[in-house]
Amino acid sequence: VESLDPRHNLRLHNDLCRAFFVNFEVGDTTLAHVHSVDSVYIFLSPSGASVDQLVKGVGCKRDFMDYGEVRFGEHCECPLEHIITSLPGAGGVTCVDAELLRPPPKRGKEEIQEMEKHELVKVRSKFRCFKIALNPGDAVETFYDFFGLRVVGKGGECDFGGWRKQVQVGDCDWFEPKGTQKVENVGETVVEYFVIQWREWE
């Protein structure tokens, strides 16, 4: 994102990824900003978000984003310059914008094994995105042999291989290829998170 808009808060930045947490209330309007890097958008407003987008060269467009909706913006070829207003009738806008800055190092390991509780929600040439939901007491074994980003959709308390952590909506954690890890919901609320796999592209 090319902007000084205070609603776009940088959460993470490395050679492969730049992730912003975007959050603003009903009735609020962003400053004009430009998206010029291919991006994965994960929308996290609990009751969805209704917006008006004023898009340069197009005009005003009304849109609605459900909780958990994942979209891909191909902005390298078609940059997007817009202003967004959050409308009444739903919650404010909460989302994570994960920019795909470059492909991961080539390792020749594109295929991944199926994992319990991992729902595949979006696939494109540059990424795969999975949704994981854990009820209180649920646990899942993960094996992420890839570079990726974990984004929290519904917060709570989890144990990540012996490390307890309170996770909050919009938390972004980068990881590199690693072995098996057990993730357990040790809190009293449902925890949901999304995992974006960086694929090898040219």
Side-chain angles (χ1 to χ4, degrees), residues 2-196:
E2 300 169 21
S3 172
L4 296 177
D5 183 71
R7 300 155 193 81
H8 289 71
N9 298 290
L10 183 64
R11 285 288 174 91
L12 183 148
H13 189 191
N14 59 37
D15 288 343
L16 305 185
C17 171
R18 186 167 59 173
F20 295 88
F21 178 63
V22 183
N23 187 49
F24 56 102
E25 299 299 322
V26 170
D28 197 5
T29 300
T30 69
L31 301 178
H33 56 282
V34 179
H35 299 270
S36 57
V37 178
D38 287 351
S39 298
V40 181
Y41 300 98
I42 303 179
F43 295 97
L44 303 173
S45 306
S47 56
S50 181
V51 301
D52 272 343
Q53 291 192 70
L54 182 60
V55 181
K56 184 178 181 179
V58 176
C60 191
K61 298 168 57 180
R62 186 150 296 186
D63 200 359
F64 184 85
M65 296 84 77
D66 286 311
Y67 166 80
E69 187 172 345
V70 178
R71 297 184 183 180
F72 179 48
E74 297 183 80
H75 303 313
C76 289
E77 293 184 3
C78 186
L80 170 66
E81 182 174 351
H82 64 170
I83 297 171
I84 305 173
T85 299
S86 178
L87 301 176
V93 175
T94 303
C95 80
V96 167
D97 170 5
E99 296 182 336
L100 305 165
L101 299 181
R102 64 183 63 181
K106 286 191 176 295
R107 304 171 65 243
K109 295 186 175 182
E110 271 294 279
E111 296 304 318
I112 61 173
Q113 65 185 40
E114 291 188 10
M115 289 178 284
E116 182 186 6
K117 299 185 182 297
H118 284 63
E119 176 190 356
L120 184 61
V121 293
K122 183 78 75 175
V123 179
R124 293 294 185 269
S125 61
K126 292 188 175 183
F127 75 96
R128 294 184 181 97
C129 185
F130 303 86
K131 176 184 173 183
I132 298 91
L134 298 175
N135 292 317
D138 280 356
V140 62
E141 293 280 346
T142 65
F143 181 74
Y144 297 150
D145 193 23
F146 53 81
F147 293 82
L149 180 71
R150 180 173 58 223
V151 176
V152 176
K154 294 181 180 180
E157 187 176 5
C158 286
D159 185 299
F160 296 93
W163 177 41
R164 285 202 174 200
K165 181 181 179 182
Q166 191 75 30
V167 295
Q168 299 180 343
V169 175
D171 282 354
C172 296
D173 294 302
W174 181 258
F175 58 86
E176 298 189 356
K178 57 185 178 182
T180 302
Q181 181 186 56
K182 182 180 180 181
V183 180
E184 182 178 3
N185 182 351
V186 295
E188 299 180 353
T189 60
V190 174
V191 172
E192 290 187 358
Y193 61 93
F194 299 80
V195 169
I196 304 172

